[in-house]
Amino acid sequence: MYKRQILDFLNVDGPVYQNAISELDSFKKLKTIMRGHQEVFNEIKLALKKDNVVFTYIIGNHDADFHFKSLQKYFKLSLTGDANSNKINFISEECYNVQGNIQVRHGHQFEAMHTFDLENPTFTKNNKKYLKLPWGSLFILKVVNRFKAQYDYVDKVLPCLL
């Protein structure tokens, strides 16, 4: 089975990034994703209008752009009409505890090549904010995405389990 995230910032077409993704680049990618999945986001909007619905988003390696608080606010504004809505929560901790001894974790933190510094996921240079990318994300941006342009199946090949 092949799965794909709707908020996969690492796979949005755009310029080939050097060593960092800027906040502005992240905004452009988010707008592209939201335009490309309008039906999904319209359904999320409808669900969020219900009193008992809260959307909890655990930030991972393919959507690390949400470490920018401005992106979180834009996302909330787009889906709820309120940039400070408590109907959408972003979790960037290594472990999210749910009542009843349940923990939710994003799997990228178990692989060294995809691990983010969750305490300091961004840096500022020349008054611009950038993501601190782990080398696994850099590999996707610089190598895998280039191969995908030529061989679209490259990230769809899975090992055969006998």
Side-chain angles (χ1 to χ4, degrees):
M1 181 174 88
Y2 177 71
K3 65 177 184 161
R4 181 162 221 115
Q5 304 88 353
I6 61 166
L7 290 164
D8 190 348
F9 287 83
L10 290 178
N11 284 303
V12 176
D13 289 337
V16 177
Y17 300 102
Q18 296 306 311
N19 294 318
I21 295 173
S22 74
E23 194 169 17
L24 180 59
D25 291 334
S26 293
F27 264 109
K28 289 176 183 176
K29 292 189 293 180
L30 178 58
K31 288 176 181 178
T32 298
I33 291 168
M34 292 182 80
R35 274 193 312 271
H37 297 282
Q38 287 179 5
E39 290 179 26
V40 173
F41 290 108
N42 286 338
E43 290 298 319
I44 294 171
K45 281 182 190 181
L46 285 174
L48 288 169
K49 289 181 180 181
K50 297 178 182 175
D51 289 337
N52 63 339
V53 174
V54 176
F55 187 85
T56 301
Y57 197 99
I58 300 175
I59 302 171
N61 55 316
H62 282 258
D63 48 25
D65 303 62
F66 276 127
H67 284 294
F68 294 122
K69 299 293 184 198
S70 57
L71 243 66
Q72 292 180 20
K73 286 183 176 284
Y74 177 81
F75 190 74
K76 288 179 178 188
L77 179 66
S78 297
L79 296 178
T80 68
D82 179 3
N84 297 307
S85 174
N86 60 2
K87 297 284 286 178
I88 300 174
N89 301 302
F90 288 89
I91 306 297
S92 62
E93 295 109 30
E94 186 171 340
C95 177
Y96 174 59
N97 292 308
V98 183
Q99 57 182 299
N101 296 323
I102 297 172
Q103 293 184 345
V104 180
R105 298 170 184 250
H106 196 288
H108 75 281
Q109 288 299 99
F110 292 107
E111 296 180 282
M113 68 181 180
H114 296 296
T115 301
F116 270 83
D117 176 0
L118 297 176
E119 298 287 321
N120 298 299
T122 62
F123 68 94
T124 303
K125 183 177 180 181
N126 299 327
N127 293 323
K128 291 183 181 177
K129 284 187 177 181
Y130 296 89
L131 286 173
K132 288 184 191 174
L133 295 172
W135 64 270
S137 294
L138 288 170
F139 182 77
I140 290 169
L141 290 171
K142 291 184 169 198
V143 178
V144 174
N145 287 350
R146 287 181 183 175
F147 275 103
K148 280 174 37 178
Q150 202 168 8
Y151 308 103
D152 66 343
Y153 57 84
V154 82
D155 65 340
K156 295 168 183 66
V157 177
L158 301 173
C160 179
L161 303 174
L162 300 176

